[in-house]
C-alpha cells in the first residue's frame, strides 16, 4: 500500500464510473493491469466496460490498460460493453482496439456479433413498462438453480411487466 492508494481502489473507481478518482490513481503511476486490481479474472477496464463508463475506459487505456485483455472465457472489455448494450462504450473500445492495432498490437479484434448491441428490442411484447429476461442456461429448472427459481417466481408475480425467454442458441443442451 502506498500513500493515497488502497488495493482494489482503481477497480472500484472503474466499476462506479468515478473518473476523477480513476485519473488520480492513474496519475500516481498505478498500473491499471496490476494483479492487485484484478478480481474474478477481470481487470478494471472490463469492469468499467460492463458498466458503460466510456470515459473511464479511455483513461485506463491512455494509462496502459491492455485493451485486448481477456478473462478465462476469452471475453474482452469490448465484448462486455456490447453484451450489456453500452453502445457508446462499444464505439470507444472499438476505437481503442483500432488504435492499439495501428500501433503494432498483434491481437485479433474482439468478436462482437452485430446483433449484440440492440437499439430497439426485437421482442414484440417488449415495451417501456416491461422487463425482458433472457436465459442462456435453460437446462436449469424452477426446481433447480436458485437464480432460475427466483426468475420464474418474479415473472409469475409480476407477469404484466416481466417476461421470460430462453436463449437456446447459447445452451449446451440445445
Amino acid at each position: 500500500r502506498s500513500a493515497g492508494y488502497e488495493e482494489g481502489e482503481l477497480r472500484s473507481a472503474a466499476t462506479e464510473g468515478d473518473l476523477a478518482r480513476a485519473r488520480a490513481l492513474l496519475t500516481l503511476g498505478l498500473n491499471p493491469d496490476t494483479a492487485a486490481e484484478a478480481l474474478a479474472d477481470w481487470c478494471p477496464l472490463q469492469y468499467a466496460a460492463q458498466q458503460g463508463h466510456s470515459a473511464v475506459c479511455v483513461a485506463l487505456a491512455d494509462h496502459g490498460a491492455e485493451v485486448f485483455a481477456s478473462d478465462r472465457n476469452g471475453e474482452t472489455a469490448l465484448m462486455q460493453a456490447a453484451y450489456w448494450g453500452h453502445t457508446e462504450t462499444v464505439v470507444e473500445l472499438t476505437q481503442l482496439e483500432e488504435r492499439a492495432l495501428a500501433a503494432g498490437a498483434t491481437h485479433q479484434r474482439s468478436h462482437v456479433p452485430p446483433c449484440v448491441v440492440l437499439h430497439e428490442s426485437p421482442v414484440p411484447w417488449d415495451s417501456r413498462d416491461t422487463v425482458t429476461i433472457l436465459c442462456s442456461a435453460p437446462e436449469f429448472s424452477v426446481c433447480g438453480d436458485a437464480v432460475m427459481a427466483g426468475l420464474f417466481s418474479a415473472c409469475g408475480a409480476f407477469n404484466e411487466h416481466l417476461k421470460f425467454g430462453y436463449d437456446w442458441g447459447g445452451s449446451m443442451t440445445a
Side-chain angles (χ1 to χ4, degrees):
R1 177 181 164 156
S2 64
Y5 166 72
E6 290 185 28
E7 190 173 297
E9 193 173 356
L10 180 60
R11 180 184 61 249
S12 293
T15 302
E16 296 165 9
D18 188 342
L19 180 60
R21 187 67 185 145
R23 282 186 177 152
L25 291 165
L26 293 165
T27 300
L28 290 174
L30 183 62
N31 175 352
D33 292 331
T34 185
E37 291 300 325
L39 180 65
D41 203 31
W42 277 22
C43 58
L45 182 62
Q46 287 162 305
Y47 283 100
Q50 180 195 39
Q51 299 299 319
H53 302 307
S54 303
V56 175
C57 290
V58 171
L60 290 164
D62 286 347
H63 284 85
E66 172 56 61
V67 296
F68 293 102
S70 61
D71 63 17
R72 68 183 126 242
N73 297 316
E75 296 176 355
T76 63
L78 174 55
M79 295 164 86
Q80 286 300 321
Y83 177 82
W84 292 101
H86 301 299
T87 307
E88 177 186 327
T89 308
V90 168
V91 170
E92 290 289 346
L93 288 166
T94 299
Q95 291 172 353
L96 290 169
E97 282 194 3
E98 292 295 329
R99 189 170 79 192
L101 290 168
T106 58
H107 294 83
Q108 290 185 336
R109 289 178 176 88
S110 296
H111 174 69
V112 179
C115 61
V116 171
V117 179
L118 302 175
H119 299 286
E120 291 183 28
S121 174
V123 183
W125 37 258
D126 215 9
S127 72
R128 290 188 185 276
D129 299 324
T130 303
V131 175
T132 303
I133 301 170
L134 290 176
C135 172
S136 63
E139 57 272 17
F140 295 113
S141 70
V142 72
C143 314
D145 183 75
V147 172
M148 294 299 292
L151 289 173
F152 279 106
S153 178
C155 290
F158 301 100
N159 63 9
E160 295 292 318
H161 303 286
L162 292 172
K163 303 295 179 187
F164 185 75
Y166 293 118
D167 174 12
W168 285 100
S171 173
M172 296 293 290
T173 60

